[in-house]
Every structure is written in C-alpha cells, then in structure tokens.
Amino acid sequence: MDSIKSFKGYGKVNEIEEQAFKRKTRRRLIILIVSIVVLLAVVIGAVAGILIHKRSISSPNTVPPTELTPAASLKAVCSVTQYPTSCFSSISSIASSNTTDPELLFKLSLRVAIDELSRLSQYPNKLKAETNDTQVRSALEVCGSMFEDALDRLNDSATSLEVGEGEKLLSDSKIDDLKTWLSTTITDQETCLDALEELNATKQFNATLLEEVKAAMQNASEYASNSLAIVAKILGLLTDFNIPIHRRLLGFQKAGSEFPAWVSPTERRLLQDSKPTPNVIVAKDNSGDVFTINDAVKLVGKKNESRFVIYVKEGEYVENVILDKNKWNVMIYGDGKTKTIISGSLNFIDGTPTFATATFAVAGKGFIAKDIGFVNSAGAAKHQAVAMRSGSDRSVFYRCAFDAYQDTLYAHSNRQFYRECDILGTIDFIFGNAVVVFQNCNIQPRQPLPNQFNTITAQGKKDPNQNTGISIQKCSLTAFGNLTATTFLGRPWKEFSTTVIMQSNIGVFLDPAGWKEWVANVDPPSTIFYAEYQNSGPGSSVDKRVKWAGYRPTLSDVDAVKFTVGTFIQGQDWLPDATVSYEPAL
C-alpha cells in the first residue's frame, strides 16, 4: 500500500482507469443480461428435450427429441464467466471438449489454465536476465514466486477432482475449497502486477515493462477467472442440468465455542494447552534445541500431514522468517505476545518490494501461531513495512500481536482466522485479499507521519467471483497513544473490495465519514461491498458516513451472517482441528 505522499503503485486505480472501468462495467452488464437470456434458452431447451424424450416412451410416433449439443452446453457454461470468448475458444480447442457435462467442462477449464500458467511461469526469469536494476529484479522475483504458487493452487484444484469409484465429484465443501484456491490463483497473479506497479513512486518504474507483463499474463489471468466463475456458479448449473450434488448444512458449532469448526479437537487442545509438547525448542539462552527460529524451520519436513510444533522461549528474535508453501501444518507459540517477539526491519523505501518486507511470512497450509508478537521496526518514515504476511490456507492466529506502521498485517490470500490479537498501524495496516475474519481483536490505529491520514483496512478483491473479503467482528477499535491524525475504517483498494465491520466497539478517534476513497475526490466503483452492522461506541454512528453506491450503513441479519466464521470462512470444516475459541454466528 502506498503512502499519502504519492498514492501511486501497489494496485492504485487512477482516474483514467476508474472511468475506463465504469465503461467496461456497463458493457459487461449488458453482456451479462444477454448471456443470462441465452443460458435460460439453453436450459429451457434441455428441459424440453428431456420432457419430449419421456413422452416418446409412451408415444412411438413422437418427433425425435431435441438434444443439447456440446457447443450449446459450453456456451452456456462460459456465459457465466467474465471472459466468455476466451472461455469458449480455449476449451473448444481441446478434443475432449465434445461433452455436455458441466463438471467435465470445468475440469477442462482447469487444464487450459494450468497449461497457460505453466508457460508463463518462466517469463519472470527471462525478464530478470534483461535488467540489472535491483528493485526491478526484486519485483520480478515476486512475480516468479507468485506464478509458482498460483500454479500449485491450480494443480491442487485439479487433484481435488480425482475421486474414487462411487464418490461424488463435487460437494459443497469441495466447492468452497475450489473457490478459495482459484481466488488465490487470481490474487497471486495480481500480486505480481502490484509489485511492478508500486515502483511508479520510484526512479525504477518502467511503464513499458509493466505493460509487457500485463500482456503476457492476460490469457493466464482470464483462464483462471473463467475457472473460478464456472465453479462459483456450478451449483446452479448442476441444478439446471439436473445433476445431483451433495449439499451440506452450515453445521454451526454451538454459540459457546470459541473457535471455528474447522479447528479440529486435536488442534483445539494445542491452542488451549498453555504449553503444547514441542518438536523443537528455540531459546536465546542455550536452554533449547536451537538458537534461531530459522534453525527450527529447517527441521520442518516437506508437506507434513501431522502437526509440527515450535516453541519459542521469551526474548526478541531479530530475523526474517519464511515458511514456504511446502511447510504444512506448523504451529509456533511463545511465552506471550509481549514476551516472545520476532522482529525485522525490511521496508519499501530501502528497496524491498512490499510483499517481501514481511518479518514473518507463511504460505504452507494449516499454520497456527499463538502467544507471540510480530514486529516490523522500520518505522513510519520507511512507508510499507510488513510485520506478518499470511497466504496459509486455514491459518489461525490466537493471542498474537502485530506491530508496525504502514501495511502491518498482510492477509494475502486463502482462509484465515484471527482471535484475541492486537494489531497496530497507520496506513492500510490490515490489507490483502484473503477471506479472513478478525474476532475479539484489539485494532489500534496510531499516529502516522505529519500530513498523513490513517486507514485501518485496504481490501484487494479483484474479481467479482472471488470469495474474499475482510470481516471484523466483535472487535475493539481504539486509538493507540496520542492519535490526532484523521482516521478511517478503510479504503477500497480494488474494484470489488469487500469489508464488513460488525458488532464491534468503535472509539471516538474515527472520522464521521467512516471510509476514505482510494482516488481523492472520486467515489469508488459501485461494485465494492462495504458495510457496518450493529456496532457500538462513540465512533459507530453512521449518520455522516460516505454516500457511496457500494456502501451499506446497515445490513439485515441474513446478509450479516454471510460474514461470520461459520459462513464466510467455512469455519465448521476446519477450525475444530486448531483448538482455538471462535463464535460461528452473529
């Protein structure tokens, strides 16, 4: 996230782009309406064909039934996407696309996306070889790692569709997984562009390079979006095509439960146990197994299915830690969020891409952190400086602290849950494109640089079918120290930004407008979703809030429940494994 000084880079939508987007949105709306009409015609034709076929059994003189053709089926499936032309042309070019089964067509869309992203994955290395600029090369390294991660998410999606004989190809829970992983695939690719665009505030900005990368990414981005759109609409399509699908109930845990249901009983015990039995102990005083957290991380096996526990004794550990995508099911805990501290100081001003400034970064699934503090000590003058970056699917942070200024907590992607955590910062200090719930947390804006204002959140939803957003529930929003700067709940970073503040106590520090546009004096697009629900405290009044088309000063109970742990992050599927308290509903 860029500072108030320039407000350029890292995904900013400028005024020209804003106007172009509005024109594009109107055009897409017209296309969507036409596509819906076409889709209804196809479905009606299919149903009519079935009825005619049934009647022909009892009436041998009936005219042969009209059958749904593979081409018509593919057009119907592609009509729900953002890019129907590329959807149809890319899938129809495959020999095995001669099918009317939307599930098989979805699998083919994944194959197309995987093939294209595989070709794209080596492109950053080619560009790196053509430049000696350190900052440009660092941004391209972000692109390379993001393309690899996106490819992994696509392969995970394809693998999840491999089922045994008699098993159902799709279930509600599997569709939730697919939505999450495909949303992450799009976020990963967008993060590459963010890393290049944020250079526009520096001498290293290369507009030509940025446009070249955008052009090279176009097919991969569109194909991933197409797959996401198909799976996001698949339940309706399967119903229309009369293909049965298993539907589960929400399965909320009882209200007294403190953790989402996907935290299993085993993981709950780990979180509730004050000192779980560790696999390795980190201690600065020679009383443990290793001296540094990085030494402990080296002992974690590749893609562990079982939990690997790291205990970090009291002390400040000055190091940057990365748990890559192959470090699964790691738990790290300390002696308290003010006693065990991991501290770093990487920052954008000194030449590091925002994505890479994180003191602690985790990508491997199933991560748990408890009773530990994460700090980026670079300070406000260094602008973007991340304390924690998480792209870990089904990750849990319990009784942790995140302390920095601009861009403190980067909830990058996938499903995340934060409970009883302290989060301090200035500009966009909770940002990213995860599907994330903050519950019972202390969120504390602090004094920024002179002439800067604070924005607590900056959500980065780029595609309308992504299941992402920020939900802040039952939290306390209070000023940290002497806060005199104008402070807002957040600002929409991307075209479909989604943020809901509900059942929280908001302090007197908040500007009555509540929210801030990204481009000064330009309302954000109507496609954003910003809302408040049943908040309290002196800053909770919505009487003088912004009048954006995409802002809702209140929600119905039915709409609000969509942003709870049970519904938004499907907590009942995975939090029972993490032994962390949570409230699944309102």
Side-chain angles (χ1 to χ4, degrees):
M1 312 313 310
D2 201 5
S3 69
I4 189 174
K5 182 176 180 181
S6 64
F7 283 133
K8 294 182 181 296
Y10 225 61
K12 183 182 82 68
V13 182
N14 63 33
E15 295 184 37
I16 295 175
E17 291 172 334
E18 180 81 8
Q19 294 169 359
F21 173 79
K22 289 179 178 178
R23 290 194 297 270
K24 190 175 182 181
T25 299
R26 287 194 295 270
R27 187 167 62 251
R28 284 178 174 170
L29 182 59
I30 295 170
I31 293 171
L32 178 60
I33 292 171
V34 173
S35 298
I36 290 171
V37 173
V38 173
L39 176 59
L40 286 173
V42 170
V43 173
I44 290 169
V47 173
I50 293 170
L51 293 175
I52 292 171
H53 175 71
K54 287 181 178 179
R55 289 173 184 171
S56 68
I57 296 175
S58 58
S59 180
N61 296 323
T62 305
V63 177
T66 301
E67 294 185 0
L68 183 66
T69 66
S73 180
L74 179 57
K75 284 184 178 178
V77 168
C78 287
S79 70
V80 303
T81 70
Q82 294 288 99
Y83 310 100
T85 301
S86 70
C87 174
F88 185 85
S89 61
S90 61
I91 297 175
S92 61
S93 65
I94 302 175
S96 55
S97 65
N98 190 33
T99 178
T100 59
D101 186 342
E103 290 180 347
L104 294 179
L105 292 175
F106 168 63
K107 294 177 75 172
L108 292 177
S109 78
L110 283 179
R111 175 177 162 186
V112 166
I114 289 170
D115 289 347
E116 184 62 30
L117 197 53
S118 296
R119 287 189 286 270
L120 180 65
S121 61
Q122 296 305 311
Y123 187 57
N125 288 332
K126 173 181 176 296
L127 294 178
K128 280 174 60 180
E130 297 172 358
T131 180
N132 293 320
D133 187 279
T134 303
Q135 283 188 272
V136 173
R137 289 175 63 88
S138 295
L140 290 170
E141 286 175 5
V142 172
C143 290
S145 66
M146 288 294 92
F147 293 164
E148 288 180 8
D149 186 76
L151 190 57
D152 279 353
R153 303 301 178 185
L154 287 173
N155 283 318
D156 288 343
S157 300
T159 300
S160 73
L161 298 177
E162 298 173 2
V163 296
E165 186 175 351
E167 293 183 60
K168 292 183 180 295
L169 180 64
L170 292 175
S171 65
D172 274 5
S173 59
K174 185 173 289 186
I175 286 174
D176 288 334
D177 288 343
L178 290 169
K179 286 180 182 177
T180 299
W181 300 334
L182 291 170
S183 293
T184 296
T185 297
I186 294 171
T187 300
D188 286 340
Q189 294 179 72
E190 185 70 9
T191 301
C192 165
L193 298 180
D194 291 340
L196 292 169
E197 286 175 350
E198 72 176 341
L199 294 177
N200 70 358
T202 71
K203 296 179 181 179
Q204 285 71 30
F205 181 61
N206 185 330
T208 302
L209 174 63
L210 176 61
E211 292 307 313
E212 287 177 358
V213 174
K214 282 183 177 180
M217 289 175 56
Q218 181 176 347
N219 283 346
S221 299
E222 289 189 5
Y223 296 164
S225 175
N226 292 338
S227 291
L228 175 61
I230 293 170
V231 77
K233 313 292 185 183
I234 202 77
L235 284 173
L237 281 175
L238 289 177
T239 300
D240 290 339
F241 280 89
N242 199 29
I243 299 174
I245 184 170
H246 170 68
R247 296 179 183 272
R248 60 165 171 77
L249 300 176
L250 288 176
F252 289 148
Q253 298 289 310
K254 60 185 180 181
S257 178
E258 293 183 277
F259 306 108
W262 39 249
V263 180
S264 73
T266 301
E267 308 296 355
R268 277 173 200 270
R269 285 190 292 272
L270 284 175
L271 283 163
Q272 291 168 343
D273 187 350
S274 60
K275 291 189 180 295
T277 302
N279 295 92
V280 61
I281 298 173
V282 183
K284 297 173 67 70
D285 61 3
N286 203 31
S287 63
D289 303 308
V290 294
F291 290 102
T292 71
I293 298 165
N294 276 303
D295 286 338
V297 168
K298 292 176 184 177
L299 301 176
V300 179
K302 185 176 181 180
K303 297 186 176 181
N304 277 334
E305 292 291 348
S306 58
R307 179 65 59 190
F308 189 95
V309 180
I310 300 173
Y311 167 42
V312 185
K313 289 191 173 183
E314 181 175 353
E316 182 179 10
Y317 298 80
V318 181
E319 51 183 315
N320 288 84
V321 181
I322 298 176
L323 272 69
D324 65 31
K325 60 189 177 183
N326 295 314
K327 304 292 187 183
W328 293 2
N329 296 314
V330 175
M331 177 183 187
I332 182 168
Y333 75 94
D335 287 324
K337 58 189 173 185
T338 62
K339 294 181 178 179
T340 299
I341 306 294
I342 305 172
S343 180
S345 58
L346 293 177
N347 62 86
F348 180 71
I349 291 298
D350 289 340
T352 303
T354 300
F355 182 85
T357 62
T359 297
F360 196 105
V362 56
K365 69 179 183 180
F367 177 74
I368 297 176
K370 172 188 169 186
D371 292 330
I372 201 160
F374 303 91
V375 175
N376 191 310
S377 61
K382 296 296 185 178
H383 295 194
Q384 299 99 302
V386 177
M388 162 62 71
R389 186 190 80 234
S390 177
S392 170
D393 192 23
R394 298 185 169 186
S395 53
V396 177
F397 299 84
Y398 184 43
R399 298 195 312 231
C400 292
F402 308 94
D403 185 351
Y405 286 82
Q406 184 173 342
D407 292 0
T408 301
L409 177 55
Y410 194 172
H412 178 264
S413 54
N414 288 303
R415 288 164 286 198
Q416 304 182 26
F417 179 63
Y418 295 75
R419 172 85 181 193
E420 297 175 31
C421 292
D422 297 340
I423 309 164
L424 284 71
T426 56
I427 300 171
D428 305 334
F429 66 93
I430 299 173
F431 77 110
N433 197 27
V435 50
V436 56
V437 175
F438 296 88
Q439 200 171 80
N440 292 70
C441 292
N442 296 313
I443 298 173
Q444 298 181 290
R446 68 199 311 172
Q447 186 67 10
L449 293 174
N451 300 319
Q452 286 185 330
F453 57 72
N454 287 336
T455 42
I456 294 173
T457 64
Q459 206 283 324
K461 183 174 178 177
K462 181 69 175 179
D463 188 289
N465 291 304
Q466 288 180 302
N467 64 348
T468 54
I470 293 173
S471 174
I472 295 176
Q473 183 189 23
K474 299 181 179 179
C475 292
S476 174
L477 284 65
T478 58
F480 179 80
N482 181 28
L483 174 60
T484 60
T486 304
T487 300
F488 302 93
L489 294 171
R491 54 182 180 152
W493 181 17
K494 308 276 183 174
E495 294 94 327
F496 298 92
S497 291
T498 299
T499 302
V500 176
I501 313 288
M502 58 184 185
Q503 299 171 307
S504 295
N505 187 280
I506 303 175
V508 71
F509 67 86
L510 189 68
D511 186 275
W515 306 87
K516 179 69 176 174
E517 70 276 3
W518 190 273
V519 181
N521 301 315
V522 177
D523 282 359
S526 60
T527 48
I528 67 167
F529 188 95
Y530 275 61
E532 298 178 56
Y533 173 79
Q534 292 187 359
N535 295 313
S536 59
S540 65
S541 174
V542 297
D543 293 343
K544 298 181 180 180
R545 290 292 196 258
V546 293
K547 305 301 180 184
W548 302 338
Y551 169 69
R552 294 156 180 78
T554 187
L555 292 174
S556 68
D557 293 348
V558 172
D559 286 333
V561 80
K562 296 174 184 177
F563 295 92
T564 60
V565 167
T567 307
F568 197 43
I569 57 175
Q570 301 86 48
Q572 68 281 358
D573 289 344
W574 55 281
L575 278 174
D577 285 335
T579 60
V580 60
S581 304
Y582 77 103
E583 296 174 48
L586 294 173

